Amino acid sequence: MKYPIGIQSFERIIEDGYVYVDKTHLIYDLTHSGSIYFLSRPRRFGKSLLVSTLENYYLGHKELFKGLAMEKLEKEWNVHPVFHVDFNGANFTKEGVLETMLEDYVNKWEKQYGLHTNRELETGLRFRDVLKSAHEQTGHRAVVLIDEYDKPILDVLDMDNELEDRHRNVLKAFYSIFKVADAHLQFVLLTGVTKFSQVSVFSGFNQPKDISMDTRYETLCGITQEELDRYFAEPISAMAIKYRCSTEEMKSLLQQKYDGYHFSESLTDVYNPFSLLNALDSLQIRDYWFSSGTPTYLIRLLAHFKENMNELTGKYYPPEEFIDYKADVERPLPMIYQGGYLTIKDYDMRRNRFLLDFPNNEVKNGFLTALVAAYLQPRKQLSNWIDDVVDALEAGEADTLCTLFTSFLASIPYTMRRKEDETEKERYFQYTFYLIMRLISVYTVYVEKVQSQGRVDCIVETPQYIYIFEFKLDGTADEALQQIEDKGYAREYVADSRKLFRIGAVFSSETGTIGEWKTR
């Protein structure tokens, strides 16, 4: 089986015999139900392949769809003029790159249709004339496909406000011609990661229909469980043999690592296609999506976190709070959601609220690692440290945990610690503790778990051990242990056969690391 890893050309996938998960029944429905659409999906989620499939469909390449659902659904196969704009390959941090790219596209199209337009005319108006001419010359209305429409903005977001505003205005002027050229348009699709609103680049033309959370098209990109079972049974069996487990256990491992995305209230599970295909090809479970590159805008976004990541996850939100991005880096939730770092986990129909959390282990671990690196800037190698902590938890070595926590906290530069006042100090250590415990959550980890008599700082459950942590800032370990007893934090585990550790630990604001650690 050949896997189309990194291949975004539908034509190449079909002609060269790569596996193609048939989405053409959804594409047929999409193209026959409306005309102007917007679709948001995370990076490397198949948006470019969708655009390429649409391009070949509208160009009438019937032979490429042999054996696919589209072959039976489409009867006419009309050939339309297609205009494909792909912003993927350019770096828009330099002034003038966006204008040059659009100019180049329009020049090429003018030559294609024999137009000799005044070059002093705005690029958008020249494109309007191209669309009109293409319609008149071919007898069929034009199709416009714009891939990663938001990249010119994301590349400079929160980095160069002047260039960001300029890119918005250029794109707004270019897209505004869709309104005046409406009579010449058959179909328009804009794809991207983020939907910008209020300061919208879309405001110059009729608002596209946003299908990002449309139940009918939630599986338009990505791979469902049914598709995984139908197309990839053989490599899953091969992985099971390699990992010395059953097929069902192998499927469970793949689900935990790469599944869990939901794009509507129907909560249909969708796998990250990039990671899944890489895993099936190499027969290795690894962090493919996150290790393929953290977007620079996310790194810049992380710099704005003020001890609030623990307030974002595991909460219900109205859709307007995470769907529309209003270019406010102090409110990062929409960007984190649309970037694929959070997803819908539940839907409360009565209140129209969505529960957001990490989609799977790959994203959770990758995102938190990036967040820790940006927030704490530790000198220790995070992955090695996490492995050591997990080993200690598995072995029931509470004293080793003390050593590991002490050394990690000591590796954080002094300049990163909050020193302004007692409230800031406490928030810093609370957030540091939260990030650390989320990072090592290979097993069941409860952070600030609510019980009948209070809120436990942390409980970690492994197959053989239970660890109850209570942390104090500049207090004593005895005070922490006494709180565990007074509040009855261990009461729910009285009948549990696993060995229980009660750990009282003290953060020292003076040294920035563990000041005292006692186990009972």
mmCIF file with all atom_site columns, all heavy atoms in Angstrom, residues 45 50 70 98 110 139 174 178 188 191 242 251 272 298 300 308-309 313 399-400 445 452 498 500 506:
data_model
loop_
_atom_site.group_PDB
_atom_site.id
_atom_site.type_symbol
_atom_site.label_atom_id
_atom_site.label_alt_id
_atom_site.label_comp_id
_atom_site.label_asym_id
_atom_site.label_entity_id
_atom_site.label_seq_id
_atom_site.pdbx_PDB_ins_code
_atom_site.Cartn_x
_atom_site.Cartn_y
_atom_site.Cartn_z
_atom_site.occupancy
_atom_site.B_iso_or_equiv
_atom_site.pdbx_formal_charge
_atom_site.auth_seq_id
_atom_site.auth_comp_id
_atom_site.auth_asym_id
_atom_site.auth_atom_id
_atom_site.pdbx_PDB_model_num
ATOM 1   N N   . PHE A 1 45  ? -4.338  18.788 7.379   1.00 0.00 ? 45  PHE A N   1
ATOM 2   C CA  . PHE A 1 45  ? -5.559  18.023 7.588   1.00 0.00 ? 45  PHE A CA  1
ATOM 3   C C   . PHE A 1 45  ? -6.253  17.655 6.287   1.00 0.00 ? 45  PHE A C   1
ATOM 4   O O   . PHE A 1 45  ? -7.370  17.153 6.292   1.00 0.00 ? 45  PHE A O   1
ATOM 5   C CB  . PHE A 1 45  ? -6.519  18.791 8.508   1.00 0.00 ? 45  PHE A CB  1
ATOM 6   C CG  . PHE A 1 45  ? -7.045  17.969 9.647   1.00 0.00 ? 45  PHE A CG  1
ATOM 7   C CD1 . PHE A 1 45  ? -6.329  17.882 10.831  1.00 0.00 ? 45  PHE A CD1 1
ATOM 8   C CD2 . PHE A 1 45  ? -8.236  17.274 9.556   1.00 0.00 ? 45  PHE A CD2 1
ATOM 9   C CE1 . PHE A 1 45  ? -6.792  17.119 11.895  1.00 0.00 ? 45  PHE A CE1 1
ATOM 10  C CE2 . PHE A 1 45  ? -8.708  16.509 10.608  1.00 0.00 ? 45  PHE A CE2 1
ATOM 11  C CZ  . PHE A 1 45  ? -7.991  16.433 11.781  1.00 0.00 ? 45  PHE A CZ  1
ATOM 12  N N   . LEU A 1 50  ? -8.249  18.457 -0.814  1.00 0.00 ? 50  LEU A N   1
ATOM 13  C CA  . LEU A 1 50  ? -9.644  18.763 -1.144  1.00 0.00 ? 50  LEU A CA  1
ATOM 14  C C   . LEU A 1 50  ? -9.707  19.766 -2.290  1.00 0.00 ? 50  LEU A C   1
ATOM 15  O O   . LEU A 1 50  ? -10.485 19.590 -3.242  1.00 0.00 ? 50  LEU A O   1
ATOM 16  C CB  . LEU A 1 50  ? -10.345 19.331 0.093   1.00 0.00 ? 50  LEU A CB  1
ATOM 17  C CG  . LEU A 1 50  ? -11.735 19.932 -0.140  1.00 0.00 ? 50  LEU A CG  1
ATOM 18  C CD1 . LEU A 1 50  ? -12.718 18.867 -0.609  1.00 0.00 ? 50  LEU A CD1 1
ATOM 19  C CD2 . LEU A 1 50  ? -12.236 20.629 1.126   1.00 0.00 ? 50  LEU A CD2 1
ATOM 20  N N   . MET A 1 70  ? -17.978 9.722  -7.158  1.00 0.00 ? 70  MET A N   1
ATOM 21  C CA  . MET A 1 70  ? -18.294 10.773 -8.117  1.00 0.00 ? 70  MET A CA  1
ATOM 22  C C   . MET A 1 70  ? -18.590 10.215 -9.501  1.00 0.00 ? 70  MET A C   1
ATOM 23  O O   . MET A 1 70  ? -19.405 10.795 -10.245 1.00 0.00 ? 70  MET A O   1
ATOM 24  C CB  . MET A 1 70  ? -17.133 11.773 -8.188  1.00 0.00 ? 70  MET A CB  1
ATOM 25  C CG  . MET A 1 70  ? -17.384 12.975 -9.079  1.00 0.00 ? 70  MET A CG  1
ATOM 26  S SD  . MET A 1 70  ? -18.638 14.077 -8.388  1.00 0.00 ? 70  MET A SD  1
ATOM 27  C CE  . MET A 1 70  ? -17.648 14.984 -7.190  1.00 0.00 ? 70  MET A CE  1
ATOM 28  N N   . LEU A 1 98  ? 3.047   39.457 -0.891  1.00 0.00 ? 98  LEU A N   1
ATOM 29  C CA  . LEU A 1 98  ? 1.646   39.172 -1.202  1.00 0.00 ? 98  LEU A CA  1
ATOM 30  C C   . LEU A 1 98  ? 1.232   39.843 -2.501  1.00 0.00 ? 98  LEU A C   1
ATOM 31  O O   . LEU A 1 98  ? 0.616   39.206 -3.372  1.00 0.00 ? 98  LEU A O   1
ATOM 32  C CB  . LEU A 1 98  ? 0.751   39.654 -0.050  1.00 0.00 ? 98  LEU A CB  1
ATOM 33  C CG  . LEU A 1 98  ? -0.758  39.530 -0.282  1.00 0.00 ? 98  LEU A CG  1
ATOM 34  C CD1 . LEU A 1 98  ? -1.151  38.081 -0.544  1.00 0.00 ? 98  LEU A CD1 1
ATOM 35  C CD2 . LEU A 1 98  ? -1.521  40.094 0.914   1.00 0.00 ? 98  LEU A CD2 1
ATOM 36  N N   . GLU A 1 110 ? -4.314  36.439 -17.386 1.00 0.00 ? 110 GLU A N   1
ATOM 37  C CA  . GLU A 1 110 ? -4.564  37.352 -18.506 1.00 0.00 ? 110 GLU A CA  1
ATOM 38  C C   . GLU A 1 110 ? -3.964  36.792 -19.793 1.00 0.00 ? 110 GLU A C   1
ATOM 39  O O   . GLU A 1 110 ? -4.593  36.855 -20.863 1.00 0.00 ? 110 GLU A O   1
ATOM 40  C CB  . GLU A 1 110 ? -3.984  38.728 -18.189 1.00 0.00 ? 110 GLU A CB  1
ATOM 41  C CG  . GLU A 1 110 ? -4.796  39.500 -17.158 1.00 0.00 ? 110 GLU A CG  1
ATOM 42  C CD  . GLU A 1 110 ? -4.141  40.798 -16.754 1.00 0.00 ? 110 GLU A CD  1
ATOM 43  O OE1 . GLU A 1 110 ? -2.891  40.932 -16.909 1.00 0.00 ? 110 GLU A OE1 1
ATOM 44  O OE2 . GLU A 1 110 ? -4.857  41.707 -16.290 1.00 0.00 ? 110 GLU A OE2 1
ATOM 45  N N   . GLY A 1 139 ? -18.151 29.691 -22.081 1.00 0.00 ? 139 GLY A N   1
ATOM 46  C CA  . GLY A 1 139 ? -19.573 29.409 -21.945 1.00 0.00 ? 139 GLY A CA  1
ATOM 47  C C   . GLY A 1 139 ? -19.938 28.819 -20.593 1.00 0.00 ? 139 GLY A C   1
ATOM 48  O O   . GLY A 1 139 ? -21.102 28.466 -20.366 1.00 0.00 ? 139 GLY A O   1
ATOM 49  N N   . PHE A 1 174 ? -8.897  42.275 -3.018  1.00 0.00 ? 174 PHE A N   1
ATOM 50  C CA  . PHE A 1 174 ? -8.864  41.196 -4.007  1.00 0.00 ? 174 PHE A CA  1
ATOM 51  C C   . PHE A 1 174 ? -10.150 40.378 -3.956  1.00 0.00 ? 174 PHE A C   1
ATOM 52  O O   . PHE A 1 174 ? -10.751 40.062 -4.990  1.00 0.00 ? 174 PHE A O   1
ATOM 53  C CB  . PHE A 1 174 ? -7.656  40.304 -3.750  1.00 0.00 ? 174 PHE A CB  1
ATOM 54  C CG  . PHE A 1 174 ? -7.443  39.248 -4.795  1.00 0.00 ? 174 PHE A CG  1
ATOM 55  C CD1 . PHE A 1 174 ? -6.944  39.581 -6.053  1.00 0.00 ? 174 PHE A CD1 1
ATOM 56  C CD2 . PHE A 1 174 ? -7.741  37.926 -4.534  1.00 0.00 ? 174 PHE A CD2 1
ATOM 57  C CE1 . PHE A 1 174 ? -6.746  38.609 -7.028  1.00 0.00 ? 174 PHE A CE1 1
ATOM 58  C CE2 . PHE A 1 174 ? -7.549  36.946 -5.497  1.00 0.00 ? 174 PHE A CE2 1
ATOM 59  C CZ  . PHE A 1 174 ? -7.045  37.291 -6.743  1.00 0.00 ? 174 PHE A CZ  1
ATOM 60  N N   . PHE A 1 178 ? -15.368 39.313 -5.956  1.00 0.00 ? 178 PHE A N   1
ATOM 61  C CA  . PHE A 1 178 ? -16.318 38.204 -6.050  1.00 0.00 ? 178 PHE A CA  1
ATOM 62  C C   . PHE A 1 178 ? -17.759 38.715 -6.068  1.00 0.00 ? 178 PHE A C   1
ATOM 63  O O   . PHE A 1 178 ? -18.637 38.098 -6.661  1.00 0.00 ? 178 PHE A O   1
ATOM 64  C CB  . PHE A 1 178 ? -16.132 37.232 -4.880  1.00 0.00 ? 178 PHE A CB  1
ATOM 65  C CG  . PHE A 1 178 ? -14.812 36.507 -4.904  1.00 0.00 ? 178 PHE A CG  1
ATOM 66  C CD1 . PHE A 1 178 ? -14.217 36.090 -3.729  1.00 0.00 ? 178 PHE A CD1 1
ATOM 67  C CD2 . PHE A 1 178 ? -14.162 36.239 -6.092  1.00 0.00 ? 178 PHE A CD2 1
ATOM 68  C CE1 . PHE A 1 178 ? -13.000 35.421 -3.741  1.00 0.00 ? 178 PHE A CE1 1
ATOM 69  C CE2 . PHE A 1 178 ? -12.944 35.583 -6.122  1.00 0.00 ? 178 PHE A CE2 1
ATOM 70  C CZ  . PHE A 1 178 ? -12.358 35.170 -4.949  1.00 0.00 ? 178 PHE A CZ  1
ATOM 71  N N   . VAL A 1 188 ? -17.005 28.940 -5.375  1.00 0.00 ? 188 VAL A N   1
ATOM 72  C CA  . VAL A 1 188 ? -15.858 29.561 -4.697  1.00 0.00 ? 188 VAL A CA  1
ATOM 73  C C   . VAL A 1 188 ? -15.633 28.834 -3.378  1.00 0.00 ? 188 VAL A C   1
ATOM 74  O O   . VAL A 1 188 ? -16.578 28.603 -2.624  1.00 0.00 ? 188 VAL A O   1
ATOM 75  C CB  . VAL A 1 188 ? -16.090 31.068 -4.425  1.00 0.00 ? 188 VAL A CB  1
ATOM 76  C CG1 . VAL A 1 188 ? -14.923 31.650 -3.627  1.00 0.00 ? 188 VAL A CG1 1
ATOM 77  C CG2 . VAL A 1 188 ? -16.288 31.830 -5.719  1.00 0.00 ? 188 VAL A CG2 1
ATOM 78  N N   . THR A 1 191 ? -10.171 28.055 1.899   1.00 0.00 ? 191 THR A N   1
ATOM 79  C CA  . THR A 1 191 ? -9.796  27.232 3.040   1.00 0.00 ? 191 THR A CA  1
ATOM 80  C C   . THR A 1 191 ? -8.745  27.960 3.868   1.00 0.00 ? 191 THR A C   1
ATOM 81  O O   . THR A 1 191 ? -8.024  28.821 3.360   1.00 0.00 ? 191 THR A O   1
ATOM 82  C CB  . THR A 1 191 ? -9.215  25.873 2.609   1.00 0.00 ? 191 THR A CB  1
ATOM 83  O OG1 . THR A 1 191 ? -7.886  26.047 2.114   1.00 0.00 ? 191 THR A OG1 1
ATOM 84  C CG2 . THR A 1 191 ? -10.078 25.213 1.551   1.00 0.00 ? 191 THR A CG2 1
ATOM 85  N N   . LYS A 1 242 ? 3.662   -6.153 15.200  1.00 0.00 ? 242 LYS A N   1
ATOM 86  C CA  . LYS A 1 242 ? 4.900   -5.504 15.622  1.00 0.00 ? 242 LYS A CA  1
ATOM 87  C C   . LYS A 1 242 ? 4.847   -5.115 17.093  1.00 0.00 ? 242 LYS A C   1
ATOM 88  O O   . LYS A 1 242 ? 5.842   -5.247 17.818  1.00 0.00 ? 242 LYS A O   1
ATOM 89  C CB  . LYS A 1 242 ? 5.169   -4.271 14.759  1.00 0.00 ? 242 LYS A CB  1
ATOM 90  C CG  . LYS A 1 242 ? 6.444   -3.538 15.139  1.00 0.00 ? 242 LYS A CG  1
ATOM 91  C CD  . LYS A 1 242 ? 6.766   -2.410 14.177  1.00 0.00 ? 242 LYS A CD  1
ATOM 92  C CE  . LYS A 1 242 ? 8.064   -1.721 14.578  1.00 0.00 ? 242 LYS A CE  1
ATOM 93  N NZ  . LYS A 1 242 ? 8.430   -0.643 13.637  1.00 0.00 ? 242 LYS A NZ  1
ATOM 94  N N   . LYS A 1 251 ? -5.958  -0.722 17.561  1.00 0.00 ? 251 LYS A N   1
ATOM 95  C CA  . LYS A 1 251 ? -6.894  0.347  17.207  1.00 0.00 ? 251 LYS A CA  1
ATOM 96  C C   . LYS A 1 251 ? -7.072  1.322  18.355  1.00 0.00 ? 251 LYS A C   1
ATOM 97  O O   . LYS A 1 251 ? -7.151  2.545  18.158  1.00 0.00 ? 251 LYS A O   1
ATOM 98  C CB  . LYS A 1 251 ? -8.258  -0.252 16.830  1.00 0.00 ? 251 LYS A CB  1
ATOM 99  C CG  . LYS A 1 251 ? -8.296  -0.962 15.490  1.00 0.00 ? 251 LYS A CG  1
ATOM 100 C CD  . LYS A 1 251 ? -9.705  -1.471 15.213  1.00 0.00 ? 251 LYS A CD  1
ATOM 101 C CE  . LYS A 1 251 ? -9.776  -2.212 13.887  1.00 0.00 ? 251 LYS A CE  1
ATOM 102 N NZ  . LYS A 1 251 ? -11.146 -2.723 13.621  1.00 0.00 ? 251 LYS A NZ  1
ATOM 103 N N   . ASN A 1 272 ? -6.551  12.603 12.770  1.00 0.00 ? 272 ASN A N   1
ATOM 104 C CA  . ASN A 1 272 ? -5.603  13.471 12.069  1.00 0.00 ? 272 ASN A CA  1
ATOM 105 C C   . ASN A 1 272 ? -4.980  12.655 10.937  1.00 0.00 ? 272 ASN A C   1
ATOM 106 O O   . ASN A 1 272 ? -4.262  11.687 11.201  1.00 0.00 ? 272 ASN A O   1
ATOM 107 C CB  . ASN A 1 272 ? -4.515  13.943 13.042  1.00 0.00 ? 272 ASN A CB  1
ATOM 108 C CG  . ASN A 1 272 ? -3.504  14.869 12.400  1.00 0.00 ? 272 ASN A CG  1
ATOM 109 O OD1 . ASN A 1 272 ? -3.091  14.664 11.265  1.00 0.00 ? 272 ASN A OD1 1
ATOM 110 N ND2 . ASN A 1 272 ? -3.081  15.867 13.137  1.00 0.00 ? 272 ASN A ND2 1
ATOM 111 N N   . LEU A 1 298 ? 1.799   30.328 16.645  1.00 0.00 ? 298 LEU A N   1
ATOM 112 C CA  . LEU A 1 298 ? 1.454   29.706 17.920  1.00 0.00 ? 298 LEU A CA  1
ATOM 113 C C   . LEU A 1 298 ? 2.509   30.017 18.970  1.00 0.00 ? 298 LEU A C   1
ATOM 114 O O   . LEU A 1 298 ? 2.194   30.313 20.127  1.00 0.00 ? 298 LEU A O   1
ATOM 115 C CB  . LEU A 1 298 ? 1.309   28.194 17.754  1.00 0.00 ? 298 LEU A CB  1
ATOM 116 C CG  . LEU A 1 298 ? 0.967   27.443 19.045  1.00 0.00 ? 298 LEU A CG  1
ATOM 117 C CD1 . LEU A 1 298 ? -0.402  27.860 19.566  1.00 0.00 ? 298 LEU A CD1 1
ATOM 118 C CD2 . LEU A 1 298 ? 0.998   25.938 18.818  1.00 0.00 ? 298 LEU A CD2 1
ATOM 119 N N   . ARG A 1 300 ? 4.358   32.639 19.096  1.00 0.00 ? 300 ARG A N   1
ATOM 120 C CA  . ARG A 1 300 ? 4.145   34.029 19.515  1.00 0.00 ? 300 ARG A CA  1
ATOM 121 C C   . ARG A 1 300 ? 2.921   34.138 20.422  1.00 0.00 ? 300 ARG A C   1
ATOM 122 O O   . ARG A 1 300 ? 2.900   34.917 21.374  1.00 0.00 ? 300 ARG A O   1
ATOM 123 C CB  . ARG A 1 300 ? 3.985   34.932 18.290  1.00 0.00 ? 300 ARG A CB  1
ATOM 124 C CG  . ARG A 1 300 ? 5.235   35.023 17.432  1.00 0.00 ? 300 ARG A CG  1
ATOM 125 C CD  . ARG A 1 300 ? 5.156   36.192 16.467  1.00 0.00 ? 300 ARG A CD  1
ATOM 126 N NE  . ARG A 1 300 ? 4.072   36.076 15.513  1.00 0.00 ? 300 ARG A NE  1
ATOM 127 C CZ  . ARG A 1 300 ? 4.165   35.438 14.350  1.00 0.00 ? 300 ARG A CZ  1
ATOM 128 N NH1 . ARG A 1 300 ? 5.300   34.841 14.024  1.00 0.00 ? 300 ARG A NH1 1
ATOM 129 N NH2 . ARG A 1 300 ? 3.147   35.387 13.523  1.00 0.00 ? 300 ARG A NH2 1
ATOM 130 N N   . ASN A 1 308 ? -3.081  30.967 32.402  1.00 0.00 ? 308 ASN A N   1
ATOM 131 C CA  . ASN A 1 308 ? -4.505  30.723 32.208  1.00 0.00 ? 308 ASN A CA  1
ATOM 132 C C   . ASN A 1 308 ? -4.828  29.521 31.333  1.00 0.00 ? 308 ASN A C   1
ATOM 133 O O   . ASN A 1 308 ? -5.976  29.309 30.976  1.00 0.00 ? 308 ASN A O   1
ATOM 134 C CB  . ASN A 1 308 ? -5.184  31.962 31.619  1.00 0.00 ? 308 ASN A CB  1
ATOM 135 C CG  . ASN A 1 308 ? -4.695  32.259 30.204  1.00 0.00 ? 308 ASN A CG  1
ATOM 136 O OD1 . ASN A 1 308 ? -3.701  31.691 29.735  1.00 0.00 ? 308 ASN A OD1 1
ATOM 137 N ND2 . ASN A 1 308 ? -5.390  33.147 29.518  1.00 0.00 ? 308 ASN A ND2 1
ATOM 138 N N   . MET A 1 309 ? -3.819  28.695 30.953  1.00 0.00 ? 309 MET A N   1
ATOM 139 C CA  . MET A 1 309 ? -4.137  27.537 30.127  1.00 0.00 ? 309 MET A CA  1
ATOM 140 C C   . MET A 1 309 ? -5.045  26.577 30.872  1.00 0.00 ? 309 MET A C   1
ATOM 141 O O   . MET A 1 309 ? -5.925  25.958 30.290  1.00 0.00 ? 309 MET A O   1
ATOM 142 C CB  . MET A 1 309 ? -2.843  26.825 29.708  1.00 0.00 ? 309 MET A CB  1
ATOM 143 C CG  . MET A 1 309 ? -3.072  25.710 28.683  1.00 0.00 ? 309 MET A CG  1
ATOM 144 S SD  . MET A 1 309 ? -3.771  26.318 27.137  1.00 0.00 ? 309 MET A SD  1
ATOM 145 C CE  . MET A 1 309 ? -4.664  24.870 26.591  1.00 0.00 ? 309 MET A CE  1
ATOM 146 N N   . THR A 1 313 ? -9.049  24.773 29.148  1.00 0.00 ? 313 THR A N   1
ATOM 147 C CA  . THR A 1 313 ? -9.410  23.399 28.789  1.00 0.00 ? 313 THR A CA  1
ATOM 148 C C   . THR A 1 313 ? -10.474 22.842 29.724  1.00 0.00 ? 313 THR A C   1
ATOM 149 O O   . THR A 1 313 ? -10.592 23.248 30.880  1.00 0.00 ? 313 THR A O   1
ATOM 150 C CB  . THR A 1 313 ? -8.172  22.484 28.847  1.00 0.00 ? 313 THR A CB  1
ATOM 151 O OG1 . THR A 1 313 ? -7.604  22.559 30.160  1.00 0.00 ? 313 THR A OG1 1
ATOM 152 C CG2 . THR A 1 313 ? -7.133  22.912 27.829  1.00 0.00 ? 313 THR A CG2 1
ATOM 153 N N   . ASP A 1 399 ? 10.746  9.020  46.623  1.00 0.00 ? 399 ASP A N   1
ATOM 154 C CA  . ASP A 1 399 ? 11.934  9.847  46.859  1.00 0.00 ? 399 ASP A CA  1
ATOM 155 C C   . ASP A 1 399 ? 12.598  10.262 45.549  1.00 0.00 ? 399 ASP A C   1
ATOM 156 O O   . ASP A 1 399 ? 13.130  11.374 45.432  1.00 0.00 ? 399 ASP A O   1
ATOM 157 C CB  . ASP A 1 399 ? 12.933  9.074  47.727  1.00 0.00 ? 399 ASP A CB  1
ATOM 158 C CG  . ASP A 1 399 ? 12.426  8.885  49.151  1.00 0.00 ? 399 ASP A CG  1
ATOM 159 O OD1 . ASP A 1 399 ? 11.549  9.656  49.558  1.00 0.00 ? 399 ASP A OD1 1
ATOM 160 O OD2 . ASP A 1 399 ? 12.916  7.966  49.841  1.00 0.00 ? 399 ASP A OD2 1
ATOM 161 N N   . THR A 1 400 ? 12.552  9.379  44.558  1.00 0.00 ? 400 THR A N   1
ATOM 162 C CA  . THR A 1 400 ? 13.099  9.728  43.244  1.00 0.00 ? 400 THR A CA  1
ATOM 163 C C   . THR A 1 400 ? 12.293  10.852 42.612  1.00 0.00 ? 400 THR A C   1
ATOM 164 O O   . THR A 1 400 ? 12.846  11.744 41.941  1.00 0.00 ? 400 THR A O   1
ATOM 165 C CB  . THR A 1 400 ? 13.088  8.495  42.315  1.00 0.00 ? 400 THR A CB  1
ATOM 166 O OG1 . THR A 1 400 ? 13.857  7.456  42.924  1.00 0.00 ? 400 THR A OG1 1
ATOM 167 C CG2 . THR A 1 400 ? 13.673  8.829  40.956  1.00 0.00 ? 400 THR A CG2 1
ATOM 168 N N   . VAL A 1 445 ? -4.455  11.360 35.815  1.00 0.00 ? 445 VAL A N   1
ATOM 169 C CA  . VAL A 1 445 ? -3.975  12.484 36.616  1.00 0.00 ? 445 VAL A CA  1
ATOM 170 C C   . VAL A 1 445 ? -5.126  13.452 36.854  1.00 0.00 ? 445 VAL A C   1
ATOM 171 O O   . VAL A 1 445 ? -5.771  13.911 35.907  1.00 0.00 ? 445 VAL A O   1
ATOM 172 C CB  . VAL A 1 445 ? -2.804  13.222 35.925  1.00 0.00 ? 445 VAL A CB  1
ATOM 173 C CG1 . VAL A 1 445 ? -2.400  14.447 36.736  1.00 0.00 ? 445 VAL A CG1 1
ATOM 174 C CG2 . VAL A 1 445 ? -1.612  12.292 35.754  1.00 0.00 ? 445 VAL A CG2 1
ATOM 175 N N   . SER A 1 452 ? -15.487 16.210 48.501  1.00 0.00 ? 452 SER A N   1
ATOM 176 C CA  . SER A 1 452 ? -16.538 16.740 49.368  1.00 0.00 ? 452 SER A CA  1
ATOM 177 C C   . SER A 1 452 ? -16.022 17.767 50.373  1.00 0.00 ? 452 SER A C   1
ATOM 178 O O   . SER A 1 452 ? -16.747 18.691 50.748  1.00 0.00 ? 452 SER A O   1
ATOM 179 C CB  . SER A 1 452 ? -17.215 15.589 50.112  1.00 0.00 ? 452 SER A CB  1
ATOM 180 O OG  . SER A 1 452 ? -16.267 14.875 50.892  1.00 0.00 ? 452 SER A OG  1
ATOM 181 N N   . ARG A 1 498 ? -4.372  -0.818 45.724  1.00 0.00 ? 498 ARG A N   1
ATOM 182 C CA  . ARG A 1 498 ? -3.091  -0.236 45.342  1.00 0.00 ? 498 ARG A CA  1
ATOM 183 C C   . ARG A 1 498 ? -2.430  0.486  46.527  1.00 0.00 ? 498 ARG A C   1
ATOM 184 O O   . ARG A 1 498 ? -3.111  0.985  47.417  1.00 0.00 ? 498 ARG A O   1
ATOM 185 C CB  . ARG A 1 498 ? -3.285  0.738  44.180  1.00 0.00 ? 498 ARG A CB  1
ATOM 186 C CG  . ARG A 1 498 ? -3.645  0.068  42.877  1.00 0.00 ? 498 ARG A CG  1
ATOM 187 C CD  . ARG A 1 498 ? -4.008  1.082  41.796  1.00 0.00 ? 498 ARG A CD  1
ATOM 188 N NE  . ARG A 1 498 ? -5.285  1.748  42.075  1.00 0.00 ? 498 ARG A NE  1
ATOM 189 C CZ  . ARG A 1 498 ? -5.858  2.640  41.269  1.00 0.00 ? 498 ARG A CZ  1
ATOM 190 N NH1 . ARG A 1 498 ? -5.243  2.968  40.141  1.00 0.00 ? 498 ARG A NH1 1
ATOM 191 N NH2 . ARG A 1 498 ? -7.008  3.184  41.597  1.00 0.00 ? 498 ARG A NH2 1
ATOM 192 N N   . LEU A 1 500 ? -0.806  3.375  48.548  1.00 0.00 ? 500 LEU A N   1
ATOM 193 C CA  . LEU A 1 500 ? -1.109  4.803  48.545  1.00 0.00 ? 500 LEU A CA  1
ATOM 194 C C   . LEU A 1 500 ? 0.055   5.610  49.119  1.00 0.00 ? 500 LEU A C   1
ATOM 195 O O   . LEU A 1 500 ? 0.580   5.295  50.183  1.00 0.00 ? 500 LEU A O   1
ATOM 196 C CB  . LEU A 1 500 ? -2.374  5.066  49.372  1.00 0.00 ? 500 LEU A CB  1
ATOM 197 C CG  . LEU A 1 500 ? -2.818  6.519  49.512  1.00 0.00 ? 500 LEU A CG  1
ATOM 198 C CD1 . LEU A 1 500 ? -3.265  7.083  48.172  1.00 0.00 ? 500 LEU A CD1 1
ATOM 199 C CD2 . LEU A 1 500 ? -3.947  6.626  50.538  1.00 0.00 ? 500 LEU A CD2 1
ATOM 200 N N   . VAL A 1 506 ? 6.824   21.400 49.404  1.00 0.00 ? 506 VAL A N   1
ATOM 201 C CA  . VAL A 1 506 ? 6.856   22.856 49.556  1.00 0.00 ? 506 VAL A CA  1
ATOM 202 C C   . VAL A 1 506 ? 7.647   23.475 48.412  1.00 0.00 ? 506 VAL A C   1
ATOM 203 O O   . VAL A 1 506 ? 8.773   23.054 48.123  1.00 0.00 ? 506 VAL A O   1
ATOM 204 C CB  . VAL A 1 506 ? 7.508   23.243 50.902  1.00 0.00 ? 506 VAL A CB  1
ATOM 205 C CG1 . VAL A 1 506 ? 7.638   24.765 51.005  1.00 0.00 ? 506 VAL A CG1 1
ATOM 206 C CG2 . VAL A 1 506 ? 6.687   22.699 52.063  1.00 0.00 ? 506 VAL A CG2 1
#
